[in-house]
Amino acid sequence: MARLEVLKTYKIYIGGKFPRTESGRYYSPKNAKGEALGNICLSSRKDVRNAVVAARKAFGGWSERAAFNRGQILYRIGEMLEGRKAQFIEELQLQGATKAKAEKEVAVAIDRLIYYAGWCDKVSQVSGGVNPVASSHFNFSVNEPMGVVGVAADQSTSLIGLVSQIAPVIAAGNSCVVIAAEELPLCSITFAEVLNSSDVPGGVVNILTGSLDEMLKPMATHMDVNAIVYTGNDAETLNSIQEFAVENLKRVRHYPQDWMDAKAQGLHYITDVMELKTTWHPIENIGGATSSY
Amino acid sequence: MIFTEAFLRSIPIFVGINYQSMAKKKGTTTFSIPDFTQSPRIDKVGVEERVSRFQKRSIKKEAKMQGLRMALNMIDLTTLEGKDTPGKVKQMCFKAAHLHDVHPGLPTVAAVCVYPSMVATAKKEVEGTGIKVASVSTAFPAGQAPLDVKITDTKFAVDAGADEIDMVISRGKFLSGEYNFVFDEIAAIKEECGKARLKVILETGELVTLDNVRRASDIAMYAGADFIKTSTGKIQPAATMQVTYTMLEAIRDFKLKTGIQVGMKPAGGISNSKLALHNLVMVNEVLGSEWLTNEWFRFGASSLANDVLMQIMKTETGVYQSSDYFSID
Amino acid sequence: MAKKNEKINWEYAPAPESTGHVNLKEQYDLFIDGKWVKPDSGKYFDSTNPANKKKLASVAHANEKDVDKAVKAARKAYTNIWSKMEPSERAKYIYRIARLMQERAREFAVIESLDAGKVIRESRDVDVPLACNHFFYYAGWADKLEYAFPNREVSSLGVAGQIIPWNFPLLMAAWKIAPALATGNTVVLKPAETTSLTALKLAEIIEESGLPAGVVNIVTGYGDTGAAIVNHEDVDKIAFTGSTAVGKIIQKAIAGTHKKSTLELGGKSANIILDDAPLDQAVEGIVNGIFFNQGHVCCAGSRLFVQESVADQVIEKLKHRMNSLIVGDPLDKNTDIGAINSKEQLDVINSYLKIGQAEGATMYQADCAVPSSGYYCRPTLFTDVAQSSRIVQEEIFGPVLTIQTFRTVDEVIQKANNTPYGLAAGVWTDKGSRIFNLTTKLRAGVVWANTYNKFDPTSPFGGYKESGFGREGGLHGLEAYVKLN
């Protein structure tokens, strides 16, 4: 007799824990064939609020980790994703991808994590520098993480958009609240499980499933969110994000990219969610006669 | 730490020094001596910026004339050479009282400054003019002699009639961290001065850093200096405005802490009117007008007087001056 | 010999900078497409000297039609000439402007002081040289942009609309125009209504430099003129320096458009004095931090935090220093603090002085004399304030300092960051490891350690949080004016 399969319950990911939405609501997206993907949490604005609180709490510790350590953790995420490749391929296929496409997407996602893992301890060397001011001061600029970043994930992919948007944000030292692809939510929660087993401190990445329209406003108007990263080409959505962002002058980053493109990665995705800090300090005796050479 | 006779006498190096009389002279019975290793830190670049603000003051018209006359009246007209003779000193003393007699109503300088061997001559020459006689001492300029020699040197000058003693600190001891030695030596010389006012020369060109200048200023003042002075004139750099500024801040802090007013004497390198006026601006703004008399501020200089005189004449006549019209000495 | 105990009172005689070399017209038109044109409305307004309320010149009030004309000229110049020009040639034009400005530096300084109330010492030694140097710095970037953005394709944006404030009129014009030109954009710039004159003098220099017509257009006017620039659909980029409130209005107005923006807005920056700091230099840094340019500085160190163990000493020294500041005629070379830029701003400052007193704070003002005519405010500090006092939270934009004490480094970091702003901060301590702890944790775009209010063309400037976004100055300042692919 065939064994009865145990179905997975998809929850959301807040502060390193997997609660159900506080609203108790769910939705059941279907794939192209009309098959139900599962009962997915329909997160509410209160989940957004809780996620932002968790992200803010995690920000200090994560941003102060050594860049090398952040790099190791991102690499670990890649390793864990590699180890659970099969599960992601299966989910992508269930959500409508061919096997070949699904395999490709997972491979690109893993490679992208490895790419950003390598950036962590190189960003400030490449993007900052010493500024040769004319007065007797040592002056240098370095990029620092912005804080809590709201990520409106690519709605057209389940995994690669999510990974491509999260990786640079956390490589920079930010924490984030991610709204997953509404109709393709499976990989987001499985990816949360990967994060949870990859030494990423709880709260650094928080993932919510549900309606983008519903959650965008509480996230983009939230006064404790420092930036919004949006992938998509919906002019109205972009416009409303920009308007929502005004009250605390959130930085809005819009990436209309196809994340499967091998070139859809780079240093600027990291520095876009960083602030440049310039520090001055006096230098004694500059131009004095005491130079030994 | 409380600065009491009993306490200090319990420390071997202080034995034999009568602190009680010094305390009386200062008009107070007790005050605490700070730990000189903890003297305030000085940021050199910040000091340079502050000094540049003084240098940007534009002193014109009546303010300039008033400043120039003040400067003249604050000069310690100085000769400190191996080849000094009574003849040279006599001529300098005459100049001190008769700066430029074609222009009546000019002030005299504050003092003449000579070696101990010239004090008696100078004293006689300036008698009745109100001009003080200052003598360098303590094995000036290097100060590399034992304390008893320094005391004898000082006693000789005081006995010869010196109104003021310009001592040097032991820079070698200071730089090797023996602050107590430096303190003790100053206190001992102060004792020997009696009624003569003591100027303590830090020789800032050898202390090099402004942190050291500040620390040495503190040591000198707490040890009993009536004046602190930048330099001997034998070492470069001498009285830069950065150094003088640092010392003025030390004087101000000392006044705030103890209530005791200490004078300032930049010496060496202040050779023209503009520099002198910048120094006065600095005194005025850092310490206030209380210090703008020769009781509390002096210039140690030999060539400054004539430049100031030329400026005064230029201001009065509107014509640029020639040094041929102003007596050297 | 001076009599002993004679009370000396040495006051500096007036030392006014001469105005003989200044050449101001009675009336200024708009500088559009390389020509001086009358405003469509025919309306002009007065630019006055805040030190004596006297009129300096009348200035054209541009309306939407004038702005449209300017944007069209800028577009035409962009398409036909400027975007096609060899970058190395572009560079030479910008160098030429820098040189012409240097040659007329003194005239610029005096006009700036007349028009803005800024003291001549600052306009002469800070504003004007920095403005010239800014052009000089960015000129050199014009043909090196590929080195600034490795692995990216760099292109210009098009027409940049730039709106600048009244606190550093010429310097802000330079901060805006120089990088825009170096990156190949053309410009429509609006100076603040109270301080248009140096921007108009700059237009004269631009005319003299032979820069192709329409590359830089200067339109004068009020907020409506600025709004016309912001709302013009053929503008590709808005660069604004000013208040956070207006910054938000602009951001709302351009939401959903293709316009890029950079905003350099308000601040309430913390200046932190630790107990081991070089205190006398720190006091000077406090004075520089809050009284520079009458406190009309977005990055002013307006919130002073002093460690409790040295608080009394620092406050005593600070009061003493404040009393040596000379408030008065901006053109006098000895003046430390000049006139408040306008009556409106003086009213704002005075209202905060009342608020502070009503909140129960203790107010101390320097005992200096203040001229009876013109707009002046004595250097002021408030003690007995709390983190929740309005005068601690809100930007006053005047010579008004609040002083809070703290006990530990962690406490002061928290308090310093406890603000919607994040423009600048100051830290004073002798200990290197402590400096880096603080400078790393302070959420501000510019951190001055053992110094304050220093600026340089090579040094990026700009804020975190509600102090705006984007950087001006340095390599990073180029990014505001380029498209990267």
Side-chain angles (χ1 to χ4, degrees):
Chain A
M1 209 174 126
R3 178 180 169 272
L4 179 69
E5 193 184 0
V6 179
L7 291 176
K8 173 169 173 177
T9 307
Y10 287 93
K11 299 194 197 170
I12 54 177
Y13 186 49
I14 298 177
K17 297 198 163 63
F18 290 91
R20 289 198 170 84
T21 166
E22 65 75 42
S23 68
R25 304 174 305 169
Y26 68 94
Y27 69 114
S28 306
K30 295 183 173 63
N31 66 15
K33 294 179 202 158
E35 296 162 345
L37 298 178
N39 291 327
I40 308 296
C41 289
L42 185 62
S43 308
S44 67
R45 62 188 170 85
K46 286 189 183 166
D47 293 315
V48 172
R49 177 198 64 190
N50 294 344
V52 172
V53 170
R56 177 58 64 190
K57 201 173 155 202
F59 170 66
W62 182 243
S63 65
E64 283 166 21
R65 290 279 176 112
F68 175 74
N69 181 245
R70 280 204 303 269
Q72 285 202 315
I73 291 174
L74 261 82
Y75 186 81
R76 180 77 180 150
I77 302 171
E79 282 180 343
M80 299 307 284
L81 188 53
E82 182 86 45
R84 293 176 65 171
K85 221 162 42 178
Q87 189 180 357
F88 282 94
I89 292 168
E90 200 175 290
E91 283 177 350
L92 286 168
Q93 284 179 272
L94 180 60
Q95 292 174 118
T98 61
K99 181 149 195 281
K101 264 191 142 175
E103 281 171 349
K104 175 95 190 291
E105 183 166 345
V106 176
V108 173
I110 294 165
D111 291 354
R112 191 143 291 159
L113 282 162
I114 305 306
Y115 173 80
Y116 282 112
W119 261 126
C120 292
D121 51 5
K122 297 161 192 75
V123 173
S124 59
Q125 287 181 307
V126 179
S127 72
V130 173
N131 309 304
V133 296
S135 54
S136 288
H137 295 91
F138 186 71
N139 175 301
F140 62 97
S141 295
V142 288
N143 277 110
E144 290 192 344
M146 272 179 183
V148 175
V149 177
V151 177
D154 182 13
Q155 296 291 308
S156 66
T157 59
S158 187
L159 179 66
I160 186 60
L162 187 85
V163 168
S164 300
Q165 287 175 266
I166 292 173
V169 167
I170 62 173
N174 298 295
S175 57
C176 59
V177 175
V178 185
I179 302 174
E182 188 169 346
E183 297 302 322
L184 304 167
L186 300 189
C187 295
S188 65
I189 296 308
T190 311
F191 185 65
E193 292 157 17
V194 167
L195 292 170
N196 197 45
S197 55
S198 307
D199 309 325
V200 182
V204 170
V205 180
N206 304 277
I207 300 180
L208 305 175
T209 52
S211 157
L212 179 65
D213 280 351
E214 185 186 346
M215 287 186 281
L216 201 52
K217 188 172 180 186
M219 184 164 83
T221 56
H222 199 301
M223 297 297 278
D224 206 26
V225 172
N226 299 88
I228 298 285
V229 177
Y230 169 62
T231 290
N233 280 318
D234 187 62
E236 210 175 296
T237 306
L238 180 59
N239 187 1
S240 52
I241 291 174
Q242 286 171 335
E243 281 182 4
F244 293 150
V246 168
E247 210 33 61
N248 71 338
L249 294 175
K250 277 179 202 73
R251 286 72 170 128
V252 176
R253 308 293 180 226
H254 175 220
Y255 302 123
Q257 275 79 349
D258 168 12
W259 293 111
M260 284 300 289
D261 185 344
K263 285 185 194 147
Q265 58 186 21
L267 174 62
H268 60 282
Y269 293 104
I270 303 175
T271 53
D272 275 358
V273 282
M274 301 187 85
E275 292 286 354
L276 190 74
K277 177 183 279 179
T278 299
T279 304
W280 294 69
H281 196 278
I283 307 176
E284 268 192 13
N285 276 330
I286 202 166
T290 50
S291 174
S292 58
Y293 49 83
Chain B
M1 191 155 59
I2 298 300
F3 184 65
T4 63
E5 188 179 1
F7 174 74
L8 288 165
R9 284 188 191 289
S10 69
I11 304 170
I13 62 160
F14 290 129
V15 172
I17 298 167
N18 184 353
Y19 286 94
Q20 199 58 52
S21 67
M22 190 173 98
K24 226 180 274 165
K25 155 81 179 73
K26 294 294 186 191
T28 177
T29 46
T30 59
F31 57 81
S32 38
I33 300 181
D35 173 357
F36 295 116
T37 64
Q38 298 298 311
S39 269
R41 299 302 191 262
I42 310 295
D43 182 76
K44 183 164 178 279
V45 176
V47 168
E48 282 162 0
E49 283 170 15
R50 180 79 180 99
V51 163
S52 79
R53 291 285 292 265
F54 301 122
Q55 290 166 333
K56 282 173 183 168
R57 290 282 191 227
S58 175
I59 306 302
K60 302 256 192 230
K61 299 180 188 142
E62 320 84 69
K64 181 173 180 183
M65 196 49 119
Q66 193 188 348
L68 291 171
R69 291 175 65 93
M70 275 194 294
L72 269 189
N73 190 230
M74 289 167 170
I75 290 172
D76 282 4
L77 201 60
T78 301
T79 183
L80 294 170
E81 292 175 354
K83 63 179 189 285
D84 281 348
T85 59
K88 155 77 188 176
V89 169
K90 279 181 194 170
Q91 291 189 51
M92 188 183 77
C93 290
F94 188 81
K95 164 92 177 186
H98 306 271
L99 284 168
H100 196 58
D101 283 350
V102 297
H103 187 291
L106 287 176
T108 67
V109 298
V112 291
C113 181
V114 296
Y115 271 114
S117 56
M118 297 294 148
V119 169
T121 307
K123 188 73 184 169
K124 192 158 157 256
E125 289 304 311
V126 299
E127 203 184 331
T129 61
I131 297 170
K132 309 278 190 206
V133 174
S135 172
V136 297
S137 95
T138 67
F140 181 94
Q144 295 283 16
L147 181 60
D148 59 337
V149 174
K150 291 180 177 179
I151 287 172
T152 309
D153 195 17
T154 307
K155 185 174 192 310
F156 177 84
V158 172
D159 289 349
D163 304 296
E164 298 168 359
I165 294 295
D166 289 23
M167 72 168 285
V168 292
I169 65 164
S170 293
R171 283 89 74 188
K173 293 288 187 187
F174 179 92
L175 290 171
S176 49
E178 295 183 51
Y179 306 134
N180 284 346
F181 181 97
V182 177
F183 181 102
D184 193 31
E185 203 173 59
I186 296 166
I189 300 299
K190 173 68 187 174
E191 275 304 297
E192 203 53 46
C193 283
K195 280 184 188 161
R197 295 177 84 198
L198 176 65
K199 306 195 194 97
V200 177
I201 303 171
L202 310 181
E203 195 63 307
T204 54
E206 290 187 343
L207 302 184
V208 184
T209 69
L210 295 181
D211 290 321
N212 280 344
V213 169
R214 170 67 197 227
R215 181 176 297 158
S217 301
D218 288 347
I219 292 172
M221 289 187 292
Y222 279 98
D226 297 299
F227 263 83
I228 51 177
K229 175 176 169 184
T230 58
S231 321
T232 60
K234 308 294 182 193
I235 296 284
Q236 287 300 321
T240 64
M241 281 188 71
Q242 288 84 346
V243 159
T244 303
Y245 170 73
T246 303
M247 293 168 72
L248 293 175
E249 291 287 18
I251 289 172
R252 196 189 63 182
D253 287 350
F254 186 71
K255 174 81 187 281
L256 289 174
K257 283 221 172 72
T258 66
I260 297 165
Q261 185 162 357
V262 172
M264 174 70 204
K265 180 178 173 184
I270 301 167
S271 54
N272 65 50
S273 307
K274 199 172 176 181
L275 265 171
L277 288 175
H278 287 158
N279 271 273
L280 292 179
V281 162
M282 186 156 71
V283 173
N284 192 34
E285 295 189 24
V286 176
L287 294 177
S289 58
E290 274 175 277
W291 267 265
L292 285 179
T293 80
N294 65 12
E295 195 185 352
W296 300 110
F297 191 76
R298 297 284 179 84
F299 289 109
S302 42
S303 58
L304 174 63
N306 272 5
D307 193 74
V308 173
L309 289 168
M310 283 166 73
Q311 277 296 321
I312 289 175
M313 293 311 287
K314 192 263 152 185
T315 309
E316 300 227 324
T317 62
V319 176
Y320 291 109
Q321 301 293 303
S322 157
S323 59
D324 285 355
Y325 297 80
F326 298 85
S327 61
I328 48 178
D329 284 313
Chain C
M1 226 180 145
K3 274 177 246 147
K4 286 226 173 124
N5 303 324
E6 187 184 3
K7 178 71 184 163
I8 307 287
N9 188 15
W10 191 35
E11 280 183 11
Y12 310 143
E17 174 73 35
S18 121
T19 54
H21 55 290
V22 166
N23 186 7
L24 271 181
K25 292 192 277 193
E26 273 182 26
Q27 188 176 86
Y28 281 92
D29 292 325
L30 306 168
F31 185 68
I32 296 174
D33 205 12
K35 292 181 284 291
W36 294 92
V37 299
K38 302 245 173 271
D40 172 69
S41 65
K43 283 185 189 154
Y44 292 82
F45 59 92
D46 291 347
S47 199
T48 57
N49 179 345
N52 58 21
K53 306 181 192 174
K54 283 187 189 142
K55 178 180 167 181
L56 293 164
S58 60
V59 176
H61 187 161
N63 64 15
E64 274 180 36
K65 285 183 187 164
D66 298 308
V67 167
D68 183 56
K69 214 188 282 179
V71 173
K72 285 200 168 96
R75 174 61 60 192
K76 191 180 70 182
Y78 176 74
T79 313
N80 296 345
I81 306 171
W82 199 242
S83 65
K84 291 182 181 159
M85 191 181 285
E86 278 295 316
S88 55
E89 292 299 298
R90 234 163 48 209
K92 289 195 287 184
Y93 276 111
I94 305 168
Y95 278 126
R96 190 186 277 187
I97 293 169
R99 276 291 193 248
L100 287 168
M101 286 173 75
Q102 285 173 333
E103 284 165 16
R104 289 168 68 175
R106 202 183 166 115
E107 187 183 6
F108 269 114
V110 173
I111 295 175
E112 199 75 302
S113 285
L114 287 169
D115 201 20
K118 185 185 282 288
V119 297
I120 188 72
R121 179 179 53 75
E122 289 172 9
S123 49
R124 178 195 66 204
D125 297 345
V126 182
D127 293 60
V128 175
L130 276 178
C132 301
N133 297 353
H134 215 79
F135 275 99
F136 206 84
Y137 174 78
Y138 275 107
W141 268 123
D143 55 357
K144 300 169 189 70
L145 296 176
E146 64 275 23
Y147 294 93
F149 305 102
N151 291 314
R152 316 284 312 265
E153 262 174 59
V154 190
S155 52
S156 52
L157 295 170
V159 176
Q162 308 181 320
I163 299 164
I164 58 171
W166 45 259
N167 58 344
F168 294 91
L170 180 70
L171 183 59
M172 290 301 107
W175 278 26
K176 295 283 180 288
I177 297 174
L181 296 189
T183 46
N185 303 281
T186 57
V187 163
V188 176
L189 176 126
K190 187 196 93 71
E193 62 270 17
T194 60
T195 55
S196 306
L197 297 183
T198 44
L200 292 162
K201 293 303 281 187
L202 179 60
E204 288 179 4
I205 275 184
I206 285 168
E207 195 179 8
E208 191 183 336
S209 74
L211 188 77
V215 172
V216 173
N217 305 274
I218 311 277
V219 290
T220 46
Y222 284 78
D224 58 327
T225 314
I229 295 174
V230 170
N231 294 320
H232 196 292
E233 60 181 22
D234 203 29
V235 167
D236 301 295
K237 153 92 191 178
I238 298 294
F240 171 76
T241 298
S243 71
T244 293
V246 175
K248 290 180 182 178
I249 292 170
I250 290 175
Q251 205 53 26
K252 216 160 233 163
I254 65 171
T257 70
H258 72 293
K259 289 175 188 139
K260 269 187 83 161
S261 65
T262 41
L263 305 174
E264 205 272 89
L265 308 175
K268 191 74 183 176
S269 299
N271 198 1
I272 301 167
I273 317 294
L274 289 130
D275 58 4
D276 67 336
L279 289 186
D280 289 312
Q281 286 74 60
V283 165
E284 202 54 25
I286 297 167
V287 167
N288 250 325
I290 187 63
F291 301 131
F292 175 58
N293 201 34
Q294 297 72 249
H296 302 328
V297 184
C298 46
C299 52
S302 49
R303 284 188 297 150
L304 179 66
F305 289 95
V306 189
Q307 199 153 21
E308 277 186 14
S309 50
V310 291
D312 291 346
Q313 208 184 341
V314 167
I315 292 167
E316 186 172 16
K317 281 169 182 275
L318 179 59
K319 287 179 176 171
H320 179 270
R321 175 70 179 105
M322 281 166 71
N323 289 334
S324 72
L325 292 169
I326 300 172
V327 179
D329 178 9
L331 275 187
D332 191 303
K333 292 172 209 161
N334 289 329
T335 301
D336 295 307
I337 296 181
I340 299 303
N341 187 268
S342 64
K343 180 174 186 303
E344 293 70 33
Q345 188 55 31
L346 184 60
D347 291 344
V348 169
I349 295 167
N350 285 334
S351 75
Y352 275 109
L353 298 186
K354 287 207 186 86
I355 290 168
Q357 289 167 292
E359 281 177 328
T362 307
M363 184 168 90
Y364 175 85
Q365 293 193 302
D367 58 9
C368 55
V370 165
S372 52
S373 76
Y375 311 124
Y376 289 95
C377 178
R378 283 193 175 83
T380 303
L381 58 84
F382 279 103
T383 48
D384 303 317
V385 297
Q387 189 79 0
S388 50
S389 309
R390 275 186 69 192
I391 51 169
V392 168
Q393 295 182 332
E394 296 173 19
E395 184 174 35
I396 298 173
F397 224 63
V400 182
L401 180 70
T402 62
I403 305 183
Q404 293 168 268
T405 58
F406 67 93
R407 294 150 302 168
T408 66
V409 169
D410 284 348
E411 177 189 0
V412 78
I413 290 171
Q414 279 184 1
K415 283 186 170 168
N417 286 339
N418 177 216
T419 165
Y421 295 114
L423 191 49
V427 178
W428 297 81
T429 164
D430 203 44
K431 191 167 180 173
S433 57
R434 197 173 293 151
I435 288 174
F436 285 113
N437 180 32
L438 278 145
T439 58
T440 309
K441 287 178 182 156
L442 290 166
R443 307 285 295 155
V446 183
V447 183
W448 287 289
N450 291 325
T451 185
Y452 207 96
N453 268 346
K454 290 284 177 295
F455 308 94
D456 193 275
T458 67
S459 177
F461 182 92
Y464 285 28
K465 302 196 279 186
E466 289 199 26
S467 290
F469 43 71
R471 294 292 177 267
E472 295 185 286
L475 180 153
H476 299 84
L478 294 166
E479 209 177 320
Y481 292 98
V482 293
K483 200 163 99 192
L484 298 168
N485 284 308

